[in-house]
Amino acid sequence: FAVGDAVEVQDVVTGQWGLVALAGPANRQGRIVADTLAGRASGYTTTQGTAIVKIFEMTGAITGASEKRLRALGRPYRKIYIHPSGHAGYYPGTAQMQLKLLFAPGDGAILGAQIVGFDGVDKRIDVLATAIRAGMSVFDLERLELAYAPPYGSAKDPVNMAGFVAGNLLRGDVAFWYAEDYPLASGDALIVDVRGEAEYADWHIDGARNIPLPQLRERL
């Protein structure tokens, strides 16, 4: 038998074959060998490349296809970015995470996700990995009922929020553009930078006008 890092596997999203050196799939393949030796009909299906890494105090995690991979294959996709906290903001010990979700433009089938953050990254990537394996869509994410208490999450969990924002895009409720679309997408719009003066001085978009948030009302 050849299993684990020694064999190519089929990607659950793209259908492509390749080497994916991860302990989880390797262990499941070992179990399949044991089943086969015992006379039980068993076989491996696909791999989606769910992985996580700790970088000092931060965590990075991925599952499914990346935007780079989908673009290389010429596969249509849409994407959203959200920046929720790991748990309720009024409870101490959390920080923003950066969550990117990739999904099909028609039915909203989830194609991949990447998250970078501090707390709660692991459980969100696991939910999204399960959603991909189950063939769920962004509309299903809107309806997921996930555990909530202030130390652990939010009433609108980051996974739910990803579904809400992606659903808004697919329903046409909001017109999206992305950082890589700048400056063409902004047209003749005035860009207002609402950060503090020191932050603005450190770096800002060319042509942006600085009106710090506390001053907005008095400067209407």
Side-chain angles (χ1 to χ4, degrees):
F1 295 92
V3 297
D5 298 355
V7 301
E8 285 189 333
V9 290
Q10 189 173 30
D11 187 277
V12 69
V13 173
T14 68
Q16 299 290 304
W17 291 85
L19 291 169
V20 181
L22 291 171
N27 275 270
R28 288 194 298 278
Q29 290 164 21
R31 182 181 177 89
I32 289 168
V33 171
D35 284 342
T36 304
L37 291 173
R40 177 177 295 167
S42 185
Y44 193 70
T45 55
T46 54
T47 293
Q48 63 197 76
T50 304
I52 193 166
V53 63
K54 182 175 173 61
I55 309 165
F56 298 103
E57 297 305 314
M58 297 190 75
T59 300
I62 60 172
T63 189
S66 67
E67 181 176 7
K68 181 178 180 180
R69 184 66 174 155
L70 293 171
R71 192 186 303 120
L73 293 172
R75 179 152 177 186
Y77 67 92
R78 300 301 301 271
K79 64 180 178 180
I80 58 101
Y81 300 89
I82 60 171
H83 314 281
S85 295
H87 60 250
Y90 56 83
Y91 192 93
T94 191
Q96 277 190 318
M97 66 178 69
Q98 321 306 318
L99 190 158
K100 178 179 181 179
L101 185 69
L102 300 145
F103 48 95
D107 59 6
I110 303 165
L111 304 177
Q114 299 92 46
I115 311 175
V116 176
F118 291 87
D119 61 304
V121 170
D122 53 341
K123 72 174 184 176
R124 273 60 186 231
I125 205 69
D126 280 345
V127 172
L128 292 170
T130 303
I132 290 175
R133 178 64 62 171
M136 297 172 72
S137 74
V138 299
F139 305 112
D140 294 313
L141 298 185
E142 294 179 304
R143 296 185 289 269
L144 285 182
E145 186 174 332
L146 303 171
Y148 162 61
Y152 305 107
S154 301
K156 294 192 288 272
D157 190 87
V159 173
N160 297 131
M161 290 301 302
F164 294 149
V165 176
N168 288 346
L169 187 156
L170 292 181
R171 295 185 186 101
D173 295 340
V174 181
F176 281 59
W177 64 274
Y178 304 92
E180 61 264 30
D181 301 327
Y182 178 81
L184 293 178
S186 59
D188 296 327
L190 170 66
I191 297 176
V192 179
D193 190 324
V194 298
R195 298 174 300 158
E197 294 177 358
E199 295 169 305
Y200 179 82
D202 282 342
W203 181 87
H204 58 268
I205 295 173
D206 289 341
R209 183 171 179 182
N210 184 215
I211 305 179
L213 187 61
Q215 302 176 21
L216 274 180
R217 288 184 182 275
E218 64 190 64
R219 295 176 62 176
L220 283 177

